[in-house]
């Protein structure tokens, strides 16, 4: 599962001079000229000497201001070269409130550079470059003999780890970000930094329309709307059978549905403008997983559908693709499942550990959902995702624990104009953050299917 582009690159020369230009294609503020000026006093001297250095403010060749400072932790100390950023604050005085902009120098802002050294030995450990709007995305370099090892980290997971570079570690003391891009262009997955906020227009249009309609949604245990927009049941012996709706709900234009019906309502809002009607209910219940009838899951499946939300989301996504392409697709031929495996390891409390990738008919561990969606957000900017949640259930009668797909949600990744990553999650008629969604289903698996978004979105 290791990233396929993590390979050894050979450099003919033993040293590459850093590029001096402040400009780079990612428009990241560059501190290379400043680092060259302060290297002797800050980067190689013992911690006892560095402690006496006063914090400095310096400008690069195009007038961008950086702060050079020392920060100490338990086992290491860091030399930070951080760009100036302005934040709006309210200053409360006896005369009232004044609106001011205050300068700050965050260590993890785009353009920040950090040298980490061991507090006891003074040995250089890592150099980190921040370049993205999201502070959990960065590249870092560590010494390894005469070479340097490079990592590309996204939300705590390694998209690339330990790539050998044929330059000495101290090259990065003064290397510009443009130099780093040039040196690692074919070694690190810089395609994950290719972000264009305008590409998320359709996703954001859908998010806004859904938000405006949430007050109309009422949660019920079982229900959706059929191809004609009539209220029907999903479960029971007769799926698709019409169900009663209170007169008050009809007058108030209230829609009653469960989590599955809610996803159908969203996808139908894309299908109806193209096809003139919504999706039928029974095809969405078509099984997509074969179950061993002799196993625990097989026995349980005789009394309840253990894969309901997995089947529902897969069949919904396939139905949307069929309408979109004007070609009938069954789920197994549609390619709607998300199966990417962009990470080889993660940074955890236990150190660096292996990442479990995609598991067939289960999806991803929910703790990896954010980095997976970050990559999807960059590489598939015109899609949103139907998420089926697989949880462990412990019966009250003491029988063995079993797994069941019994919840679902729609997830819309996007990047804002500042390159900041975000996700809007809708579940059962409610909006939540990705963090809230992940906390709601700890230790679960989430299976994703992709659906092309559109600004031609008109839900019932």
């Amino acid at each position: 599962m290791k990233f396929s582009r993590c390979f050894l690159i050979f450099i003919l020369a033993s040293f590459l001079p850093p590029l001096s230009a402040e400009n780079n294609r990612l428009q990241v503020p560059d501190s290379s000229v400043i680092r060259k000026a302060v290297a002797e006093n800050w980067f190689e001297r013992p911690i006892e000497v560095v402690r006496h250095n006063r914090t400095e403010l310096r400008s690069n060749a195009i007038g961008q201001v950086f702060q050079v400072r020392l920060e100490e932790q338990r086992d290491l100390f860091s030399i930070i070269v951080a760009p100036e950023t302005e934040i709006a604050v309210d200053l409360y005085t006896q005369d009232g409130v004044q609106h001011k902009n205050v300068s700050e120098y965050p260590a993890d802002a785009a353009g920040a550079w950090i040298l980490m050294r061991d507090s006891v030995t003074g040995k250089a450990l890592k150099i980190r470059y921040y370049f993205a709007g999201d502070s959990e995305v960065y590249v870092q370099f560590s010494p390894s003999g005469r070479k340097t090892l490079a990592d590309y980290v996204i939300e705590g997971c390694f998209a690339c780890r330990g790539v050998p570079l044929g330059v000495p570690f101290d090259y990065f003391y003064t290397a510009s970000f443009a130099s780093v891009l040039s040196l690692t262009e074919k070694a690190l997955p810089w395609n994950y930094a290719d972000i264009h906020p305008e590409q998320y227009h359709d996703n954001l249009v859908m998010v806004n329309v859904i938000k405006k309609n949430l007050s109309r949604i009422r949660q019920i245990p079982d229900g959706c709307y059929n191809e004609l927009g009539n209220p029907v049941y999903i479960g029971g012996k007769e799926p698709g059978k019409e169900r009663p709706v209170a007169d008050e709900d009809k007058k108030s234009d209230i829609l009653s549905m469960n989590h599955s019906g809610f996803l159908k309502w969203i996808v139908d809002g894309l299908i109806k403008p193209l096809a003139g009607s919504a999706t039928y209910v029974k095809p969405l219940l078509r099984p997509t997983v074969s179950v061993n009838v002799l196993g625990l899951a097989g026995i349980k499946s005789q009394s309840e559908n253990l894969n309901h939300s997995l089947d529902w989301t897969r069949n919904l996504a396939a139905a949307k693709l069929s309408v979109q392409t004007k070609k009938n697709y069954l789920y197994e031929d549609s390619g709607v499942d998300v199966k990417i495996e962009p990470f080889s390891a993660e940074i955890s409390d236990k150190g660096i550990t292996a990442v479990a990738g995609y598991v067939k008919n289960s999806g991803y561990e929910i703790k990896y959902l954010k980095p997976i969606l970050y990559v999807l957000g960059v590489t598939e900017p015109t899609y949103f995702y139907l998420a089926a949640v697989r949880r462990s259930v412990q019966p009250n009668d003491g029988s063995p624990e079993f797994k069941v797909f019994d919840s679902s949600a729609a997830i819309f990744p996007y990047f804002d104009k500042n390159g900041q990553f975000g996700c809007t999650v809708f579940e059962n008629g409610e909006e939540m953050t990705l963090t809230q969604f992940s906390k709601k289903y700890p230790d679960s698996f989430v299976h994703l299917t992709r659906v092309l978004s559109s600004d031609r979105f008109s839900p019932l």
Side-chain angles (χ1 to χ4, degrees):
M1 293 184 291
K2 291 185 178 179
F3 194 86
S4 61
R5 295 169 70 182
C6 290
F7 56 87
L8 173 64
I9 68 169
F10 295 93
I11 307 299
L12 296 178
S14 61
F15 177 82
L16 291 179
L19 301 178
S20 59
E22 275 75 12
N23 294 321
N24 53 80
R25 62 182 175 83
L26 297 183
Q27 301 300 307
V28 177
D30 188 81
S31 61
S32 56
V33 172
I34 295 169
R35 285 183 270 119
K36 185 175 182 179
V38 303
E40 183 178 351
N41 289 333
W42 286 90
F43 299 166
E44 297 182 348
R45 292 190 175 183
I47 180 60
E48 294 80 7
V49 176
V50 177
R51 282 194 185 109
H52 293 290
N53 290 346
R54 298 180 63 179
T55 297
E56 299 181 23
L57 293 179
R58 290 176 175 257
S59 298
N60 63 14
I62 59 175
Q64 294 171 319
V65 178
F66 287 77
Q67 184 187 72
V68 185
R69 67 179 186 269
L70 167 69
E71 287 188 4
E72 295 188 63
Q73 292 82 40
R74 181 177 179 181
D75 300 319
L76 59 83
F77 65 97
S78 301
I79 311 302
I80 297 170
V81 184
E84 180 182 38
T85 61
E86 287 193 348
I87 62 170
V89 300
D90 292 334
L91 177 63
Y92 289 83
T93 68
Q94 292 180 345
D95 300 324
V97 180
Q98 297 180 12
H99 304 291
K100 300 184 66 175
N101 290 329
V102 177
S103 294
E104 288 195 348
Y105 304 88
D108 55 4
W113 178 99
I114 302 176
L115 167 64
M116 290 169 253
R117 296 172 59 186
D118 186 276
S119 293
V120 177
T121 65
K123 180 183 177 181
L125 303 175
K126 280 186 177 65
I127 287 175
R128 184 175 294 176
Y129 287 76
Y130 287 94
F131 60 88
D134 193 313
S135 63
E136 294 298 316
V137 180
Y138 53 85
V139 290
Q140 61 185 16
F141 305 92
S142 54
S144 178
R146 295 182 179 180
K147 296 181 295 185
T148 302
L149 303 181
D151 304 324
Y152 194 115
V153 180
I154 298 176
E155 304 292 345
C157 292
F158 288 92
C160 220
R161 180 181 174 222
V163 180
L165 305 175
V167 294
F169 179 74
D170 60 5
Y171 167 78
F172 296 96
Y173 282 5
T174 56
S176 68
F177 188 67
S179 298
V180 171
L181 284 172
S182 177
L183 175 66
T184 63
E185 183 176 6
K186 295 181 179 180
L188 299 182
W190 287 109
N191 57 306
Y192 295 155
D194 190 18
I195 296 168
H196 303 278
E198 68 278 3
Q199 293 182 314
Y200 305 93
H201 168 77
D202 290 355
N203 267 9
L204 295 176
V205 167
M206 291 186 65
V207 166
N208 288 332
V209 173
I210 294 170
K211 284 183 178 181
K212 291 177 181 178
N213 282 275
L214 290 182
S215 60
R216 300 173 56 219
I217 308 298
R218 183 167 64 84
Q219 301 174 20
I220 58 172
D222 177 21
C224 68
Y225 290 80
N226 66 11
E227 72 280 2
L228 300 176
N230 297 325
V232 296
Y233 292 108
I234 295 174
K237 295 181 180 180
E238 297 182 71
K241 180 181 179 181
E242 289 202 26
R243 58 184 170 86
V245 173
D247 290 338
E248 185 61 33
D249 286 353
K250 293 179 182 178
K251 292 178 182 178
S252 303
D253 197 23
I254 296 296
L255 300 172
S256 54
M257 58 189 76
N258 67 353
H259 65 94
S260 299
F262 180 64
L263 292 197
K264 184 180 188 299
W265 174 78
I266 292 175
V267 176
D268 282 346
L270 295 169
I271 288 178
K272 193 169 181 180
L274 298 175
S277 65
T279 51
Y280 289 81
V281 174
K282 289 185 179 180
L284 302 180
L285 295 168
R286 178 177 177 269
T288 63
V289 180
S290 297
V291 179
N292 180 2
V293 295
L294 300 179
L296 176 62
I299 296 172
K300 274 287 181 184
S301 65
Q302 294 176 17
S303 58
E304 57 182 298
N305 186 355
L306 302 184
N307 296 302
H308 168 71
S309 63
L310 177 64
D311 297 339
W312 190 267
T313 53
R314 281 172 160 176
N315 291 322
L316 259 179
K320 167 58 169 62
L321 180 65
S322 297
V323 172
Q324 169 190 321
T325 59
K326 298 181 180 179
K327 179 180 179 181
N328 290 328
Y329 281 97
L330 294 178
Y331 148 71
E332 53 268 29
D333 302 318
S334 66
V336 295
D337 278 0
V338 174
K339 299 180 181 180
I340 65 169
E341 294 187 338
F343 304 115
S344 60
E346 67 167 320
I347 304 169
S348 68
D349 295 338
K350 298 178 182 179
I352 296 175
T353 57
V355 167
Y358 173 80
V359 179
K360 184 178 179 181
N361 296 326
S362 291
Y364 303 94
E365 290 184 56
I366 199 166
K367 65 179 179 178
Y368 302 129
L369 193 56
K370 186 175 182 180
I372 289 292
L373 286 166
Y374 186 100
V375 170
L376 290 171
V378 176
T379 58
E380 302 182 2
T382 57
Y383 286 86
F384 71 99
Y385 302 90
L386 305 181
V389 181
R390 189 187 192 209
R391 301 184 299 132
S392 297
V393 176
Q394 180 65 62
N396 295 327
D397 59 9
S399 57
E401 180 181 86
F402 63 94
K403 310 285 188 181
V404 59
F405 277 101
D406 62 354
S407 301
S408 59
I411 303 178
F412 293 82
Y414 64 90
F415 287 84
D416 66 18
K417 63 181 180 181
N418 298 316
Q420 184 71 41
F421 175 66
C423 273
T424 301
V425 181
F426 295 105
E427 183 196 24
N428 214 1
E430 295 183 350
E431 178 188 359
M432 63 182 69
T433 65
L434 188 59
T435 299
Q436 291 170 329
F437 180 69
S438 298
K439 287 182 177 179
K440 184 175 180 179
Y441 299 106
D443 304 319
S444 298
F445 273 76
V446 176
H447 191 280
L448 301 174
T449 52
R450 55 174 63 84
V451 179
L452 186 67
S453 57
S454 173
D455 58 3
R456 290 186 64 191
F457 178 56
S458 182
L460 178 69

